Amino acid sequence: MGLPYFEANKIPAYLPKEELVKKFHTVEIKVEEISYKFDLVSIGNPHAVCFVEDLNKIDVCKIGKIVENYKYFPNKINVEFVQVIDRNNIKVKVWERGVR
């Protein structure tokens, strides 16, 4: 696994100017009237990570496809939904870019 990069130009992500002054980027993307916040990172490939309360309530295919192709991501992006179970455990569901 590569080193994490948080700079928009290394992800790459074309973000609004007010976002570009920040070291870490969180973008809000609305899908069917619900806003989701994604933390952006690249570890050699781009990822948008959304922490959620309940993974069972997330339609990963529908939301993932929209986020993967969102206007901010010229090369598309992998999308992860993460539920923190406890201090030592998490659950993750992934929408892998380019997979249909």
XYZ file of all heavy atoms in Angstrom:
828
model
N 0.855 -1.175 0.000
C 0.000 0.000 0.000
C 0.896 1.231 0.000
O 1.899 1.279 0.691
C -0.895 -0.013 1.242
C -1.925 1.063 1.219
S -3.031 1.137 2.658
C -3.487 -0.534 2.924
N 0.497 2.217 -0.783
C 1.288 3.437 -0.878
C 1.052 4.389 0.277
O 0.214 4.150 1.154
N 1.807 5.466 0.289
C 1.607 6.516 1.287
C 0.307 7.254 0.986
O -0.039 7.442 -0.175
C 2.764 7.511 1.251
C 4.123 6.983 1.690
C 5.191 8.041 1.433
C 4.093 6.597 3.154
N -0.394 7.703 2.013
C -1.629 8.455 1.759
C -1.331 9.885 1.322
O -0.426 10.536 1.842
C -2.344 8.434 3.113
C -1.248 8.282 4.112
C -0.177 7.466 3.439
N -2.093 10.344 0.330
C -2.027 11.724 -0.120
C -3.408 12.341 0.056
O -4.408 11.721 -0.257
C -1.637 11.811 -1.596
C -0.237 11.330 -1.866
C -0.019 10.051 -2.346
C 0.848 12.155 -1.620
C 1.269 9.589 -2.591
C 2.145 11.715 -1.854
C 2.347 10.434 -2.338
O 3.614 9.986 -2.569
N -3.422 13.551 0.565
C -4.689 14.227 0.809
C -4.867 15.460 -0.073
O -5.911 16.068 -0.066
C -4.791 14.619 2.291
C -4.702 13.427 3.208
C -3.508 13.083 3.802
C -5.822 12.652 3.449
C -3.425 11.979 4.643
C -5.755 11.542 4.281
C -4.545 11.209 4.875
N -3.823 15.819 -0.839
C -3.883 16.993 -1.698
C -4.800 16.714 -2.892
O -4.687 15.676 -3.541
C -2.491 17.377 -2.197
C -1.533 17.790 -1.103
C -0.751 16.614 -0.521
O -1.065 15.452 -0.841
O 0.163 16.860 0.275
N -5.665 17.652 -3.188
C -6.657 17.469 -4.260
C -6.005 17.136 -5.594
O -6.493 16.265 -6.311
C -7.528 18.718 -4.385
N -4.895 17.778 -5.922
C -4.274 17.535 -7.222
C -3.637 16.150 -7.317
O -3.433 15.639 -8.403
C -3.247 18.614 -7.552
C -2.073 18.622 -6.593
O -2.200 18.264 -5.421
N -0.921 19.047 -7.070
N -3.347 15.505 -6.179
C -2.763 14.162 -6.199
C -3.823 13.068 -6.174
O -3.524 11.911 -6.426
C -1.794 13.988 -5.034
C -0.547 14.818 -5.183
C 0.436 14.544 -4.083
C 1.685 15.389 -4.280
N 2.673 15.136 -3.237
N -5.078 13.418 -5.874
C -6.120 12.388 -5.794
C -6.508 11.901 -7.189
O -6.596 10.677 -7.337
C -7.299 12.905 -4.942
C -6.817 13.012 -3.486
C -8.521 12.032 -5.076
C -7.756 13.685 -2.535
N -6.724 12.567 -8.245
C -7.018 13.985 -8.373
C -8.508 14.277 -8.159
O -9.365 13.437 -8.403
C -6.651 14.282 -9.826
C -6.913 13.009 -10.541
C -6.627 11.901 -9.546
N -8.729 15.501 -7.701
C -10.096 15.987 -7.500
C -10.126 17.460 -7.865
O -9.275 18.227 -7.432
C -10.525 15.787 -6.055
N -11.091 17.824 -8.696
C -11.311 19.222 -9.039
C -12.358 19.766 -8.084
O -13.543 19.493 -8.235
C -11.794 19.371 -10.474
C -10.826 18.849 -11.510
C -11.282 18.248 -12.665
C -9.448 18.970 -11.335
C -10.399 17.775 -13.629
C -8.567 18.498 -12.283
C -9.043 17.903 -13.428
O -8.169 17.429 -14.373
N -11.909 20.510 -7.087
C -12.796 20.977 -6.029
C -13.040 22.475 -6.127
O -12.249 23.200 -6.731
C -12.170 20.648 -4.666
C -11.867 19.179 -4.413
C -11.169 19.012 -3.064
C -13.123 18.344 -4.461
N -14.119 22.952 -5.495
C -14.338 24.401 -5.431
C -13.142 25.092 -4.770
O -12.477 24.513 -3.907
C -15.594 24.523 -4.568
C -16.267 23.199 -4.665
C -15.167 22.191 -4.840
N -12.869 26.317 -5.165
C -11.688 27.043 -4.676
C -11.601 27.106 -3.161
O -10.522 27.018 -2.591
C -11.656 28.454 -5.256
C -11.299 28.483 -6.706
C -11.192 29.899 -7.222
C -10.859 29.848 -8.699
N -10.656 31.173 -9.257
N -12.745 27.244 -2.484
C -12.702 27.342 -1.019
C -12.209 26.051 -0.379
O -11.678 26.060 0.730
C -14.064 27.744 -0.434
C -15.189 26.770 -0.710
C -15.923 27.025 -2.016
O -15.481 27.850 -2.831
O -16.955 26.378 -2.212
N -12.331 24.935 -1.071
C -11.846 23.648 -0.559
C -10.338 23.508 -0.736
O -9.683 22.813 0.032
C -12.540 22.481 -1.265
C -13.856 22.086 -0.674
C -13.742 21.561 0.748
O -12.820 20.794 1.058
O -14.592 21.951 1.552
N -9.793 24.147 -1.758
C -8.392 23.938 -2.105
C -7.416 24.498 -1.086
O -6.252 24.126 -1.078
C -8.112 24.514 -3.489
C -8.847 23.799 -4.618
C -8.570 24.489 -5.944
C -8.490 22.331 -4.674
N -7.855 25.369 -0.201
C -6.952 25.931 0.813
C -6.812 25.011 2.020
O -5.954 25.218 2.864
C -7.415 27.334 1.277
C -7.391 28.312 0.120
C -8.785 27.280 1.920
N -7.619 23.979 2.092
C -7.588 23.067 3.227
C -6.573 21.949 2.981
O -6.306 21.569 1.845
C -8.966 22.449 3.457
C -10.035 23.469 3.761
C -11.389 22.796 3.887
C -12.485 23.811 4.118
N -13.804 23.176 4.126
N -6.028 21.414 4.077
C -5.080 20.303 3.960
C -5.809 18.990 3.692
O -5.374 18.160 2.902
C -4.243 20.189 5.227
C -3.194 19.108 5.143
C -2.275 19.106 6.328
C -1.229 18.008 6.159
N -0.250 18.002 7.200
N -6.924 18.786 4.370
C -7.731 17.580 4.184
C -9.061 17.986 3.565
O -9.618 19.011 3.920
C -7.972 16.881 5.531
C -6.706 16.492 6.217
C -6.214 17.232 7.277
C -5.990 15.384 5.791
C -5.030 16.880 7.899
C -4.806 15.019 6.415
C -4.328 15.775 7.470
N -9.555 17.166 2.665
C -10.756 17.532 1.933
C -11.926 16.624 2.273
O -11.825 15.404 2.186
C -10.500 17.493 0.427
C -9.401 18.398 0.009
N -9.531 19.764 0.000
C -8.136 18.149 -0.376
C -8.399 20.312 -0.391
N -7.537 19.351 -0.623
N -13.011 17.247 2.654
C -14.277 16.556 2.835
C -15.268 17.224 1.907
O -15.423 18.436 1.945
C -14.770 16.658 4.302
O -13.796 16.062 5.142
C -16.097 15.944 4.474
N -15.874 16.419 1.058
C -16.850 16.970 0.120
C -18.227 16.411 0.439
O -18.360 15.278 0.901
C -16.476 16.684 -1.349
C -15.176 17.369 -1.713
C -16.406 15.203 -1.634
N -19.210 17.233 0.217
C -20.597 16.828 0.436
C -21.250 16.597 -0.914
O -21.210 17.456 -1.788
C -21.330 17.913 1.211
C -22.660 17.477 1.742
C -23.222 18.493 2.736
O -22.469 19.005 3.562
O -24.428 18.750 2.642
N -21.818 15.406 -1.069
C -22.473 15.051 -2.323
C -23.888 14.600 -1.995
O -24.095 13.747 -1.140
C -21.697 13.940 -3.060
C -20.296 14.457 -3.421
C -22.460 13.486 -4.296
C -19.384 13.426 -4.032
N -24.843 15.216 -2.687
C -26.252 14.910 -2.445
C -26.727 13.854 -3.436
O -26.512 13.982 -4.640
C -27.096 16.168 -2.573
C -28.539 15.976 -2.137
C -29.342 17.256 -2.286
C -29.150 18.095 -1.053
N -30.061 19.246 -1.000
N -27.360 12.819 -2.891
C -27.960 11.763 -3.699
C -29.404 11.611 -3.253
O -29.671 11.263 -2.101
C -27.217 10.417 -3.534
C -27.884 9.327 -4.360
C -25.744 10.561 -3.906
N -30.325 11.921 -4.155
C -31.758 11.845 -3.854
C -32.118 12.527 -2.529
O -32.687 11.914 -1.634
C -32.223 10.389 -3.873
C -32.135 9.767 -5.242
C -32.665 8.359 -5.293
O -33.015 7.783 -4.247
O -32.729 7.820 -6.411
N -31.749 13.771 -2.421
C -32.091 14.623 -1.272
C -31.378 14.272 0.031
O -31.668 14.844 1.070
C -33.615 14.652 -1.033
C -34.414 15.124 -2.236
C -33.968 16.473 -2.780
O -33.740 17.404 -1.976
O -33.836 16.591 -4.007
N -30.452 13.324 0.005
C -29.665 13.004 1.200
C -28.227 13.403 0.928
O -27.649 13.037 -0.101
C -29.748 11.498 1.543
C -31.184 11.108 1.839
C -28.847 11.171 2.735
C -31.391 9.620 2.054
N -27.628 14.168 1.850
C -26.244 14.596 1.708
C -25.313 13.633 2.429
O -25.564 13.240 3.566
C -26.060 15.995 2.296
O -26.729 16.933 1.494
N -24.249 13.265 1.734
C -23.226 12.381 2.287
C -21.907 13.143 2.290
O -21.576 13.830 1.319
C -23.080 11.119 1.442
C -24.334 10.284 1.391
C -25.285 10.502 0.388
C -24.582 9.303 2.333
C -26.444 9.745 0.330
C -25.738 8.546 2.284
C -26.668 8.768 1.287
O -27.815 8.014 1.234
N -21.139 12.981 3.352
C -19.831 13.626 3.444
C -18.747 12.585 3.215
O -18.720 11.548 3.875
C -19.653 14.294 4.802
C -20.557 15.483 4.975
C -20.294 16.189 6.274
C -21.250 17.374 6.392
N -21.033 18.142 7.606
N -17.866 12.893 2.261
C -16.796 11.986 1.893
C -15.444 12.629 2.177
O -15.188 13.753 1.748
C -16.880 11.640 0.403
C -18.076 10.811 0.050
C -19.267 11.418 -0.326
C -18.016 9.430 0.108
C -20.378 10.663 -0.646
C -19.132 8.661 -0.207
C -20.308 9.271 -0.584
N -14.594 11.897 2.877
C -13.212 12.302 3.083
C -12.410 11.748 1.911
O -12.555 10.578 1.541
C -12.674 11.747 4.401
C -13.430 12.298 5.592
O -13.616 13.527 5.658
O -13.835 11.504 6.454
N -11.556 12.589 1.313
C -10.818 12.200 0.119
C -9.376 11.862 0.451
O -8.720 12.563 1.222
C -10.858 13.332 -0.902
C -12.250 13.841 -1.286
C -12.136 14.925 -2.337
C -13.131 12.703 -1.777
N -8.892 10.781 -0.156
C -7.514 10.342 0.047
C -7.087 9.518 -1.157
O -7.916 8.888 -1.818
C -7.368 9.508 1.357
C -8.204 8.246 1.308
C -5.912 9.202 1.660
N -5.791 9.538 -1.435
C -5.231 8.651 -2.454
C -4.106 7.857 -1.810
O -3.296 8.402 -1.054
C -4.669 9.446 -3.633
O -4.034 8.558 -4.539
N -4.070 6.572 -2.079
C -2.948 5.726 -1.652
C -2.355 5.060 -2.902
O -2.038 3.873 -2.908
C -3.380 4.684 -0.603
C -4.613 3.918 -1.067
C -3.612 5.331 0.737
C -4.971 2.729 -0.198
N -2.256 5.869 -3.946
C -1.852 5.373 -5.247
C -3.053 5.241 -6.157
O -2.925 5.166 -7.371
N -4.229 5.184 -5.560
C -5.491 5.244 -6.287
C -6.480 6.027 -5.424
O -6.358 6.066 -4.207
C -6.005 3.848 -6.664
C -6.173 2.934 -5.473
O -5.825 3.260 -4.356
N -6.708 1.766 -5.694
N -7.441 6.701 -6.058
C -8.283 7.655 -5.331
C -9.436 6.995 -4.570
O -10.042 6.035 -5.050
C -8.828 8.546 -6.444
C -8.871 7.648 -7.641
C -7.707 6.714 -7.506
N -9.716 7.536 -3.377
C -10.791 7.020 -2.533
C -11.612 8.161 -1.932
O -11.056 9.178 -1.514
C -10.226 6.195 -1.374
C -9.528 4.964 -1.828
N -10.157 3.752 -1.915
C -8.253 4.762 -2.247
C -9.301 2.847 -2.350
N -8.140 3.433 -2.569
N -12.921 7.935 -1.873
C -13.849 8.822 -1.165
C -14.467 7.956 -0.061
O -15.111 6.947 -0.344
C -14.923 9.348 -2.099
N -14.254 8.355 1.191
C -14.649 7.529 2.342
C -15.743 8.249 3.124
O -15.571 9.397 3.536
C -13.438 7.261 3.264
C -13.842 6.383 4.438
C -12.283 6.649 2.476
N -16.849 7.542 3.336
C -17.991 8.104 4.058
C -18.257 7.254 5.300
O -18.490 6.045 5.193
C -19.218 8.103 3.153
S -20.699 8.780 3.931
N -18.211 7.875 6.472
C -18.535 7.185 7.719
C -20.042 7.278 7.944
O -20.623 8.352 7.839
C -17.763 7.799 8.893
C -16.298 7.482 8.828
C -15.425 8.290 8.119
C -15.803 6.357 9.455
C -14.074 7.984 8.036
C -14.454 6.038 9.391
C -13.591 6.856 8.672
N -20.658 6.122 8.219
C -22.107 6.049 8.379
C -22.451 5.345 9.686
O -21.647 4.600 10.241
C -22.774 5.311 7.195
C -22.514 6.049 5.889
C -22.302 3.870 7.093
N -23.669 5.585 10.154
C -24.143 4.946 11.387
C -24.526 3.487 11.165
O -24.319 2.651 12.028
C -25.351 5.712 11.948
C -25.018 7.097 12.450
C -24.154 7.078 13.691
O -24.371 6.213 14.566
O -23.238 7.919 13.776
N -25.120 3.185 10.003
C -25.635 1.844 9.749
C -25.445 1.482 8.281
O -26.146 2.004 7.405
C -27.121 1.792 10.120
C -27.712 0.405 10.025
O -27.032 -0.534 9.558
O -28.892 0.252 10.412
N -24.504 0.586 8.003
C -24.239 0.167 6.626
C -25.448 -0.483 5.965
O -25.600 -0.420 4.750
C -23.080 -0.839 6.592
C -21.677 -0.269 6.537
C -20.650 -1.393 6.555
C -21.477 0.607 5.334
N -26.307 -1.080 6.756
C -27.479 -1.747 6.193
C -28.454 -0.774 5.542
O -29.298 -1.182 4.749
C -28.200 -2.563 7.270
C -27.341 -3.706 7.766
O -26.646 -4.347 6.991
N -27.356 -3.942 9.060
N -28.333 0.502 5.859
C -29.223 1.514 5.295
C -28.634 2.195 4.058
O -29.234 3.117 3.519
C -29.557 2.570 6.347
C -30.363 2.016 7.506
C -30.689 3.094 8.504
C -31.538 2.544 9.640
N -31.828 3.567 10.647
N -27.464 1.735 3.613
C -26.769 2.366 2.496
C -26.902 1.506 1.247
O -26.555 0.321 1.256
C -25.270 2.563 2.827
C -25.098 3.442 4.069
C -24.514 3.135 1.635
C -25.620 4.848 3.921
N -27.404 2.092 0.172
C -27.453 1.412 -1.114
C -26.131 1.701 -1.823
O -25.990 2.691 -2.555
C -28.640 1.912 -1.934
C -28.838 1.144 -3.223
O -27.874 0.497 -3.704
O -29.963 1.181 -3.757
N -25.151 0.845 -1.571
C -23.794 1.071 -2.063
C -23.756 1.156 -3.581
O -23.043 1.999 -4.133
C -22.846 -0.043 -1.548
C -21.466 0.094 -2.150
C -22.767 -0.006 -0.032
N -24.513 0.315 -4.258
C -24.489 0.335 -5.733
C -25.008 1.649 -6.296
O -24.396 2.253 -7.172
C -25.284 -0.842 -6.286
S -24.514 -2.430 -5.938
N -26.132 2.111 -5.788
C -26.728 3.341 -6.304
C -25.862 4.564 -5.952
O -25.519 5.353 -6.835
C -28.134 3.531 -5.747
C -28.800 4.808 -6.236
C -30.275 4.897 -5.938
C -30.615 4.742 -4.490
N -32.027 4.959 -4.194
N -25.509 4.697 -4.699
C -24.738 5.869 -4.271
C -23.319 5.804 -4.816
O -22.776 6.804 -5.295
C -24.733 5.986 -2.733
C -26.166 6.100 -2.215
C -23.896 7.177 -2.280
C -26.294 5.894 -0.715
N -22.710 4.628 -4.750
C -21.335 4.470 -5.224
C -21.169 4.855 -6.676
O -20.210 5.535 -7.046
N -22.104 4.439 -7.510
C -22.027 4.754 -8.941
C -22.108 6.257 -9.183
O -21.385 6.807 -10.019
C -23.151 4.032 -9.688
C -23.078 4.174 -11.165
C -24.148 3.326 -11.844
C -23.994 3.381 -13.341
N -24.932 2.487 -14.014
N -22.973 6.932 -8.442
C -23.113 8.383 -8.592
C -21.838 9.095 -8.138
O -21.318 9.974 -8.822
C -24.345 8.891 -7.815
C -25.624 8.395 -8.508
C -24.337 10.418 -7.695
C -26.888 8.583 -7.708
N -21.319 8.712 -6.972
C -20.112 9.360 -6.438
C -18.904 9.065 -7.323
O -18.099 9.951 -7.610
C -19.859 8.936 -4.976
C -18.543 9.501 -4.456
C -21.019 9.384 -4.090
N -18.767 7.828 -7.772
C -17.644 7.454 -8.656
C -17.553 8.395 -9.846
O -16.461 8.788 -10.266
C -17.826 6.028 -9.164
C -16.801 5.643 -10.224
C -17.151 4.399 -11.018
O -18.274 3.879 -10.894
O -16.278 3.955 -11.785
N -18.671 8.758 -10.396
C -18.724 9.570 -11.613
C -18.992 11.049 -11.357
O -19.259 11.793 -12.299
C -19.805 9.000 -12.538
C -19.446 7.623 -13.023
O -18.561 7.474 -13.857
N -20.095 6.605 -12.478
N -18.894 11.487 -10.114
C -19.225 12.870 -9.772
C -18.242 13.841 -10.436
O -17.074 13.501 -10.682
C -19.208 13.039 -8.252
C -19.969 14.253 -7.782
C -21.354 14.295 -7.833
C -19.297 15.368 -7.301
C -22.051 15.410 -7.421
C -19.991 16.485 -6.872
C -21.364 16.506 -6.937
O -22.058 17.615 -6.523
N -18.710 15.040 -10.703
C -17.939 16.042 -11.457
C -16.584 16.372 -10.832
O -15.684 16.827 -11.531
C -18.763 17.322 -11.620
C -19.074 18.009 -10.292
C -19.964 19.222 -10.493
C -20.319 19.854 -9.156
N -21.211 20.992 -9.317
N -16.397 16.157 -9.546
C -15.119 16.463 -8.891
C -14.004 15.504 -9.277
O -12.833 15.800 -9.062
C -15.261 16.404 -7.369
C -16.119 17.473 -6.735
C -16.647 17.274 -5.471
C -16.397 18.675 -7.364
C -17.427 18.238 -4.849
C -17.183 19.641 -6.764
C -17.691 19.413 -5.505
O -18.468 20.372 -4.899
N -14.341 14.324 -9.800
C -13.362 13.262 -9.964
C -13.126 12.933 -11.442
O -13.820 12.093 -12.014
C -13.818 12.019 -9.185
C -14.240 12.345 -7.779
C -15.530 12.093 -7.352
C -13.350 12.931 -6.891
C -15.930 12.406 -6.056
C -13.735 13.249 -5.603
C -15.026 12.990 -5.183
N -12.146 13.572 -12.063
C -11.928 13.401 -13.504
C -11.549 11.973 -13.896
O -11.822 11.550 -15.009
C -10.790 14.374 -13.810
C -10.069 14.524 -12.507
C -11.137 14.438 -11.455
N -10.922 11.236 -12.999
C -10.517 9.861 -13.284
C -11.384 8.850 -12.538
O -10.971 7.715 -12.348
C -9.047 9.648 -12.911
C -8.130 10.539 -13.708
O -8.428 10.928 -14.828
N -7.009 10.890 -13.123
N -12.533 9.314 -12.088
C -13.448 8.520 -11.261
C -12.789 8.243 -9.901
O -11.659 8.660 -9.668
C -13.886 7.252 -11.966
C -14.566 7.540 -13.295
C -15.165 6.310 -13.869
C -15.861 6.687 -15.183
N -16.546 5.565 -15.757
N -13.526 7.565 -9.003
C -13.004 7.374 -7.653
C -13.624 6.125 -7.031
O -14.759 5.763 -7.341
C -13.270 8.630 -6.779
C -12.375 8.649 -5.559
C -14.741 8.770 -6.412
C -12.215 10.041 -4.942
N -12.854 5.446 -6.191
C -13.369 4.339 -5.396
C -14.159 4.928 -4.239
O -13.790 5.974 -3.698
C -12.220 3.491 -4.841
C -11.402 2.860 -5.934
O -11.895 2.046 -6.686
N -10.144 3.256 -6.038
N -15.239 4.263 -3.843
C -16.114 4.802 -2.808
C -16.248 3.776 -1.687
O -16.599 2.624 -1.943
C -17.504 5.140 -3.384
C -18.399 5.757 -2.320
C -17.376 6.064 -4.590
N -15.939 4.200 -0.458
C -16.075 3.321 0.698
C -17.068 3.905 1.688
O -17.072 5.112 1.942
C -14.731 3.134 1.425
C -13.746 2.258 0.698
C -12.944 2.999 -0.347
O -12.823 4.234 -0.287
O -12.438 2.344 -1.254
N -17.885 3.021 2.240
C -18.783 3.364 3.336
C -18.301 2.585 4.547
O -18.105 1.368 4.462
C -20.227 3.009 2.985
C -20.744 3.812 1.834
C -20.648 3.336 0.541
C -21.310 5.064 2.044
C -21.102 4.076 -0.528
C -21.771 5.818 0.979
C -21.667 5.325 -0.301
N -18.095 3.293 5.660
C -17.489 2.693 6.843
C -18.396 2.894 8.046
O -18.844 4.005 8.319
C -16.107 3.330 7.136
C -15.479 2.723 8.377
C -15.190 3.205 5.928
N -18.638 1.796 8.759
C -19.385 1.847 10.015
C -18.423 1.423 11.124
O -17.859 0.321 11.077
C -20.582 0.900 9.972
C -21.356 0.858 11.268
C -22.502 -0.157 11.223
O -22.906 -0.625 10.164
N -23.004 -0.484 12.387
N -18.238 2.292 12.104
C -17.398 1.956 13.253
C -18.251 1.122 14.217
O -19.285 1.577 14.689
C -16.858 3.226 13.953
C -16.061 2.861 15.199
C -16.011 4.041 12.976
N -17.804 -0.096 14.482
C -18.509 -0.998 15.382
C -18.088 -0.742 16.826
O -18.922 -0.583 17.714
C -18.240 -2.474 15.013
C -18.617 -2.744 13.555
C -18.971 -3.420 15.967
C -20.054 -2.427 13.207
N -16.803 -0.700 17.037
C -16.252 -0.384 18.356
C -14.802 0.049 18.161
O -14.355 0.219 17.030
C -16.388 -1.565 19.344
C -15.691 -2.833 18.879
O -14.581 -2.752 18.300
O -16.265 -3.929 19.098
N -14.097 0.196 19.230
C -12.716 0.705 19.185
C -11.799 -0.138 18.295
O -10.830 0.362 17.740
C -12.176 0.767 20.609
C -10.830 1.356 20.765
C -10.500 1.450 22.251
N -9.139 1.825 22.473
C -8.704 3.071 22.552
N -9.568 4.070 22.427
N -7.443 3.333 22.757
N -12.088 -1.407 18.142
C -11.212 -2.316 17.407
C -11.812 -2.878 16.121
O -11.157 -3.662 15.444
C -10.818 -3.489 18.312
C -10.035 -3.023 19.513
O -9.054 -2.304 19.379
N -10.473 -3.411 20.693
N -13.045 -2.535 15.801
C -13.711 -3.149 14.657
C -14.489 -2.143 13.826
O -15.139 -1.255 14.371
C -14.692 -4.225 15.144
C -13.991 -5.348 15.853
O -13.362 -6.184 15.225
N -14.072 -5.378 17.180
N -14.402 -2.339 12.510
C -15.195 -1.553 11.576
C -15.786 -2.503 10.533
O -15.297 -3.612 10.335
C -14.374 -0.463 10.864
C -13.238 -1.085 10.032
C -13.829 0.548 11.851
C -12.505 -0.096 9.141
N -16.856 -2.057 9.880
C -17.405 -2.734 8.711
C -17.242 -1.783 7.542
O -17.450 -0.575 7.689
C -18.892 -3.036 8.893
C -19.198 -4.164 9.828
C -20.710 -4.411 9.832
C -21.092 -5.496 10.783
N -22.566 -5.711 10.779
N -16.907 -2.337 6.391
C -16.690 -1.514 5.205
C -17.392 -2.151 4.015
O -17.329 -3.365 3.824
C -15.181 -1.383 4.885
C -14.960 -0.546 3.638
C -14.415 -0.810 6.068
N -18.052 -1.323 3.221
C -18.588 -1.730 1.927
C -17.955 -0.822 0.880
O -17.836 0.386 1.089
C -20.106 -1.629 1.885
C -20.795 -2.681 2.739
C -22.290 -2.666 2.526
C -22.964 -3.752 3.336
N -24.430 -3.748 3.123
N -17.568 -1.419 -0.239
C -16.792 -0.701 -1.253
C -17.500 -0.735 -2.598
O -18.007 -1.771 -3.016
C -15.393 -1.345 -1.408
C -14.600 -0.650 -2.499
C -14.646 -1.324 -0.088
N -17.507 0.425 -3.252
C -17.862 0.519 -4.666
C -16.550 0.765 -5.397
O -15.929 1.826 -5.255
C -18.841 1.672 -4.918
C -19.102 1.867 -6.371
C -18.477 2.762 -7.204
C -20.024 1.144 -7.181
N -18.963 2.645 -8.475
C -19.924 1.639 -8.489
C -20.934 0.114 -6.930
C -20.691 1.156 -9.530
C -21.704 -0.365 -7.973
C -21.566 0.161 -9.262
N -16.102 -0.222 -6.156
C -14.838 -0.137 -6.856
C -15.040 0.562 -8.187
O -15.904 0.154 -8.982
C -14.292 -1.544 -7.073
C -12.888 -1.591 -7.590
C -11.833 -1.261 -6.561
O -12.076 -1.435 -5.358
O -10.742 -0.808 -6.974
N -14.277 1.600 -8.442
C -14.458 2.334 -9.696
C -14.177 1.422 -10.884
O -13.326 0.546 -10.840
C -13.575 3.582 -9.745
C -12.107 3.292 -9.899
C -11.297 4.565 -9.926
N -9.890 4.201 -9.877
C -8.905 4.952 -10.310
N -9.171 6.137 -10.798
N -7.675 4.547 -10.230
N -14.959 1.649 -11.920
C -14.803 0.880 -13.140
C -15.544 -0.449 -13.157
O -15.594 -1.119 -14.167
N -16.120 -0.851 -12.018
C -16.864 -2.111 -11.966
C -18.334 -1.819 -12.192
O -18.900 -0.890 -11.624
C -16.665 -2.806 -10.590
C -17.522 -4.051 -10.488
C -15.200 -3.131 -10.389
N -19.005 -2.601 -12.975
C -20.413 -2.365 -13.266
C -21.231 -3.461 -12.718
O -21.353 -4.505 -12.788
C -20.651 -2.219 -14.767
C -19.896 -1.077 -15.342
C -20.558 0.264 -14.977
N -19.629 1.331 -15.286
C -19.333 2.292 -14.459
N -19.829 2.376 -13.274
N -18.515 3.242 -14.811
